[in-house]
Amino acid sequence: MGNRGMEELIPLVNKLQDAFSSIGQSCHLDLPQIAVVGGQSAGKSSVLENFVGRDFLPRGSGIVTRRPLILQLIFSKTEYAEFLHCKSKKFTDFDEVRQEIEAETDRVTGTNKGISPVPINLRVYSPHVLNLTLIDLPGITKVPVGDQPQDIEFQIRDMILQFISRESSLILAVTPANMDLANSDALKMAKEVDPQGLRTIGNKLLPLRRGYIGVVNRSQKDIDGKKDIRAALAAERKFFLSHPAYRHMAERMGTPHLQRVLNQQLTNHIRESLPSLRSKLQSQLLSLEKEVEEYKNFRPDDPARKTKALLQMVQQFGVDFEKRIEGSGDQVDTLELSGGARINRIFHERFPFELVKMEFDEKDLRREISYAIKNIHGVRTGLFTPDLAFEAIVKKQVVKLKEPCLKCVDLVIQELINTVRQCTSKLGSYPRLREETERIVTTHIREREGKTKDQILLLIDIELSYINTNHEDFIGFANAQQRNTQINKKRAIPNQVIRRGWLTINNISIMKGGSKEYWFVLTAESLSWYKDEEEKEKKYMLPLDNLKIRDVEKGFMSTKHIFAIFNTEQRNVYKDLRQIELACDSQEDVDSWKASFLRAGVYPEKDQVGLNGNGVRSDPRDGNGVRSEPRDGNGVRNGPRDGNGVRNGPRDGNGALE
């Protein structure tokens, strides 16, 4: 090019690129570069291999390039390649280069065809290349293959846009010659970020300031037959010279011309970018020098620094806690519910379930009502039901709300404390600060717990002190008929779907005692299960009449959590089974399904503290699997006690409670 300084521009930018990669930092300088974009099998790999004159890139079906490859071509008298991640080794066998690219790709992305934006830096020295740096990006795809995520198309698109959106990037859009340029995926993406075509090099429907250059790659048959690249380049030259449509422009076609154009355009592009690049570099350098200067005078015992660090960590704890409860934040847990989501589930699924578990026995209630009426009438015979009898029975039912309400508070408090512990994990380097933070915040939560329970008990006492029979929700003689009509109208949509999802039937399969997974659909009237979520092959439909739910303890070797559906009239539920055992992966899923069954009118077995379907005693437990016993108005556990108020229960030989 006649200018030694210009020729050294590309190696200079290469050094900057390597410097940032070696320290594990992304380059915020927007270094001038050429990004190679194209659809799958568009010929990107062949173009790059033609530049080098060697077969060195992985090939195959589907997505082969799964990490960006920063390919630095450097003119040299000797031919070899080296990787930044193993710089001490020089590769002279280019088959080994291919194997190393594949191994390094799998090291970061795994072998399941996943992708990663972390680049691989490869430098090739050769007498057959011009100084040039290109970034080979994954091919644009539409359909996921293997274990790839369903959104692989959008992941690849986002990665490509990260590179080509920068004003400092030139775009080499590779498009097969047998495709209408108007339908080229590469040119469509380039046009999104470069609508004027100022940065895009095409490969004269779409106007590109940097033009189009035709190349002839090896066919798949040539590649399979190991056709030499030198011979392929000679065939390409012969094609352009002899073809009537191209021979008048043969000097402006072919791989060597494309390489020269890219070298010249990248060099010019770097030269144009130098002023702004130098300005950004100087700005960052001044900022770093200022930060380094601060550390030169750093004193670990400086009280001002200690106070500042302490305040920053405490403020960060507050921000993290608020984000976990409110639901916002940069890092969203995709594996399990946490923080505010778990509290939401307690309010909307666990609490209603606890209320329904208080289902009363109708015979006992009728007997209590009868006794109450007779006792209030005394020796007299009354004509009407006395209000006192009504209030006595209603108040007795309202009082039962205390226990599930207080239990709900206990569960929420436990979640808040768990969230505090998760948020203080960042203070692990300062164990005393972490311990003190947990202690102060937990103490505050416990103080609020007491006041919350007092408010709940006060609210229930207020409800007990006055029964408002004029409230619109109260069903008196006047509006009972009207209310009954409204309820019947609401029940007029029996096919309303309440929930869909996968469940394992634990006690049914081809082999007795096995289990099988089905797709379940719960409506207001029935429970159906299908082969899969397409809901084409229905296995069975179970009406919800006379069904109830009971807990089943999971087996010794089982990781599943189980609940059962049974018929209250002692009939078989399915074939010869008295109950169907349904298994979930977690207790949270079980609670969620139970809440859905409640909405469908399927309630839990009345006596949850009794024998479950396997004849094993199952005490009620909270969301963490801890046994929860009944508590009094102050939230204190109360069990059966003797005449002196001492808890009594089965005891061992030493008199200790078992």
Side-chain angles (χ1 to χ4, degrees):
M1 295 184 48
N3 188 327
R4 181 69 181 168
M6 288 296 103
E7 290 178 6
E8 292 179 352
L9 280 178
I10 294 175
L12 176 64
V13 173
N14 286 346
K15 289 179 182 178
L16 285 171
Q17 220 155 18
D18 288 352
F20 279 102
S21 298
S22 61
I23 60 174
Q25 296 292 322
S26 59
C27 180
H28 300 295
L29 287 174
D30 286 347
L31 297 176
Q33 56 198 11
I34 297 178
V36 185
V37 184
Q40 277 189 38
S41 306
K44 299 195 311 315
S45 298
S46 295
V47 170
L48 298 179
E49 287 181 336
N50 287 351
F51 285 168
V52 176
R54 294 281 190 173
D55 289 301
F56 69 97
L57 291 174
R59 292 185 179 274
S61 59
I63 300 176
V64 179
T65 305
R66 295 186 283 125
R67 288 175 59 184
L69 176 69
I70 299 178
L71 178 62
Q72 300 172 353
L73 305 180
I74 300 171
F75 177 78
S76 171
K77 292 181 181 179
T78 55
E79 185 179 47
Y80 64 93
E82 63 182 16
F83 290 91
L84 187 65
H85 62 270
C86 49
K87 203 170 182 179
S88 56
K89 182 177 180 181
K90 291 185 178 180
F91 293 80
T92 53
D93 183 346
F94 281 81
D95 284 335
E96 290 185 14
V97 172
R98 178 190 297 110
Q99 293 166 9
E100 182 61 31
I101 292 174
E102 291 172 345
E104 180 63 13
T105 299
D106 290 344
R107 187 182 66 81
V108 173
T109 64
T111 56
N112 64 345
K113 300 289 185 184
I115 65 169
S116 168
V118 180
I120 298 174
N121 288 59
L122 172 63
R123 184 173 288 176
V124 176
Y125 297 85
S126 170
H128 309 298
V129 302
L130 297 175
N131 288 348
L132 191 59
T133 301
L134 305 109
I135 300 179
D136 185 21
L137 296 169
I140 302 166
T141 184
K142 302 284 185 188
V143 182
V145 296
D147 297 330
Q148 286 175 348
Q150 293 300 311
D151 64 341
I152 188 71
E153 175 189 353
F154 303 103
Q155 288 189 27
I156 291 176
R157 178 182 171 82
D158 288 344
M159 185 194 299
I160 293 173
L161 287 174
Q162 281 180 22
F163 284 90
I164 67 175
S165 296
R166 302 169 184 167
E167 287 297 321
S168 58
S169 288
L170 297 181
I171 306 167
L172 178 59
V174 180
T175 306
N178 59 358
M179 175 185 284
D180 186 344
L181 288 179
N183 297 323
S184 166
D185 290 329
L187 287 175
K188 281 180 185 176
M189 287 192 71
K191 196 171 182 180
E192 286 182 34
V193 297
D194 181 28
Q196 303 297 323
L198 299 174
R199 298 187 285 116
T200 307
I201 305 161
N203 227 33
K204 291 266 179 150
L205 292 174
L206 299 174
L208 299 179
R209 300 289 180 88
R210 298 179 184 270
Y212 290 81
I213 299 169
V215 297
V216 178
N217 291 329
R218 290 176 298 168
S219 66
Q220 189 60 48
K221 184 179 178 182
D222 293 337
I223 294 170
D224 294 339
K226 303 291 184 183
K227 183 175 182 179
D228 183 62
I229 290 182
R230 301 281 167 221
L233 290 173
E236 177 191 52
R237 177 71 177 157
K238 182 179 178 182
F239 170 82
F240 285 119
L241 286 171
S242 60
H243 198 286
Y246 294 110
R247 60 189 175 199
H248 68 284
M249 61 176 82
E251 295 305 317
R252 290 179 282 119
M253 290 288 161
T255 301
H257 178 68
L258 174 60
Q259 193 173 179
R260 286 193 299 272
V261 168
L262 292 178
N263 170 272
Q264 183 180 359
Q265 295 203 9
L266 180 58
T267 302
N268 293 340
H269 186 55
I270 292 174
R271 182 175 57 194
E272 292 165 4
S273 305
L274 271 180
S276 62
L277 182 64
R278 184 174 60 181
S279 175
K280 287 181 182 177
L281 190 58
Q282 286 177 338
S283 173
Q284 288 193 18
L285 190 60
L286 287 172
S287 175
L288 286 172
E289 285 177 348
K290 185 178 178 182
E291 191 175 343
V292 169
E293 196 63 34
E294 288 181 9
Y295 282 107
K296 284 181 181 176
N297 303 318
F298 176 73
R299 294 200 342 259
D301 56 342
D302 185 354
R305 281 193 173 274
K306 287 183 178 180
T307 304
K308 183 179 178 181
L310 176 66
L311 286 174
Q312 285 177 338
M313 284 186 283
V314 171
Q315 286 171 348
Q316 187 60 46
F317 164 78
V319 170
D320 290 346
F321 184 80
E322 183 179 354
K323 283 182 177 179
R324 281 184 177 269
I325 299 299
E326 295 296 329
S328 60
D330 337 348
Q331 298 178 347
V332 178
D333 193 342
T334 57
L335 300 177
E336 62 178 1
L337 292 181
S338 60
R342 291 181 68 95
I343 293 173
N344 181 285
R345 173 167 277 188
I346 291 170
F347 284 142
H348 294 97
E349 293 182 2
R350 186 65 190 271
F351 182 54
F353 185 72
E354 293 296 330
L355 291 178
V356 175
K357 277 169 64 174
M358 299 188 313
E359 186 184 10
F360 53 81
D361 188 290
E362 190 173 337
K363 291 180 181 178
D364 290 343
L365 184 61
R366 288 182 180 277
R367 185 170 60 250
E368 288 178 13
I369 293 172
S370 173
Y371 287 153
I373 293 172
K374 290 175 181 176
N375 286 332
I376 287 171
H377 282 153
V379 296
R380 294 164 294 136
T381 303
L383 183 60
F384 300 104
T385 303
D387 290 348
L388 285 175
F390 170 76
E391 288 195 10
I393 296 299
V394 171
K395 286 180 179 180
K396 190 172 181 182
Q397 298 301 318
V398 173
V399 166
K400 291 181 180 179
L401 293 172
K402 286 185 178 181
E403 184 180 334
C405 290
L406 295 174
K407 185 175 182 179
C408 179
V409 174
D410 288 337
L411 293 173
V412 172
I413 292 296
Q414 188 57 51
E415 287 303 330
L416 289 173
I417 291 174
N418 289 342
T419 304
V420 170
R421 286 174 183 156
Q422 290 167 353
C423 293
T424 56
S425 60
K426 291 184 179 179
L427 305 177
S429 303
Y430 304 92
R432 288 185 61 187
L433 176 61
R434 178 178 184 175
E435 182 182 339
E436 195 63 14
T437 303
E438 285 185 10
R439 185 189 67 78
I440 291 171
V441 179
T442 303
T443 302
H444 178 71
I445 291 174
R446 290 296 183 190
E447 288 173 359
R448 307 315 299 175
E449 174 189 9
K451 293 185 178 181
T452 303
K453 287 182 175 178
D454 289 343
Q455 285 295 110
I456 290 174
L457 295 173
L458 177 60
L459 180 60
I460 294 175
D461 287 341
I462 291 171
E463 296 292 338
L464 289 171
S465 66
Y466 180 72
I467 307 298
N468 181 14
T469 56
N470 289 324
H471 193 277
E472 59 180 9
D473 288 343
F474 179 76
I475 304 178
F477 290 110
N479 63 352
Q481 185 63 38
Q482 180 184 355
R483 186 63 172 268
N484 190 45
T485 306
Q486 291 174 350
I487 290 174
N488 288 335
K489 284 182 180 177
K490 287 181 180 177
R491 290 176 178 168
I493 44 173
N495 293 325
Q496 178 189 10
V497 175
I498 295 173
R499 182 173 185 147
R500 288 183 168 94
W502 289 100
L503 283 172
T504 300
I505 300 183
N506 204 49
N507 57 340
I508 173 178
S509 81
I510 300 170
M511 300 294 291
K512 190 175 180 182
S515 60
K516 193 166 183 182
E517 196 173 32
Y518 292 102
W519 178 260
F520 278 75
V521 177
L522 175 65
T523 70
E525 284 197 345
S526 65
L527 177 68
S528 305
W529 55 92
Y530 299 80
K531 180 183 177 183
D532 52 41
E533 61 261 53
E534 292 183 5
E535 298 181 16
K536 290 181 180 177
E537 188 178 333
K538 183 185 286 189
K539 294 295 183 182
Y540 195 73
M541 185 178 78
L542 180 65
L544 299 184
D545 299 334
N546 302 318
L547 293 186
K548 282 198 175 181
I549 293 175
R550 65 161 55 113
D551 292 328
V552 177
E553 288 195 0
K554 64 181 183 181
F556 176 68
M557 298 296 290
S558 174
T559 59
K560 297 272 189 180
H561 297 258
I562 309 169
F563 67 99
I565 298 174
F566 69 98
N567 192 298
T568 55
E569 296 183 351
Q570 302 300 315
R571 295 179 182 174
N572 289 345
V573 178
Y574 175 69
K575 295 186 177 178
D576 59 343
L577 296 174
R578 284 299 178 93
Q579 68 178 24
I580 294 180
E581 295 179 4
L582 301 176
C584 302
D585 290 330
S586 68
Q587 185 59 43
E588 287 178 352
D589 290 338
V590 171
D591 293 341
S592 183
W593 271 102
K594 284 181 178 178
S596 298
F597 275 106
L598 285 184
R599 291 173 56 197
V602 179
Y603 298 107
E605 187 177 18
K606 180 193 170 188
D607 186 11
Q608 288 286 341
V609 185
L611 299 181
N612 63 18
N614 297 323
V616 180
R617 181 178 177 82
S618 60
D619 295 347
R621 296 174 183 263
D622 62 18
N624 300 316
V626 180
R627 189 169 61 206
S628 59
E629 295 182 13
R631 297 172 182 264
D632 63 20
N634 298 317
V636 179
R637 187 170 63 198
N638 55 23
R641 298 177 183 265
D642 60 19
N644 298 318
V646 179
R647 284 182 64 206
N648 54 24
R651 297 177 179 265
D652 59 18
N654 299 319
L657 275 171
E658 293 180 338

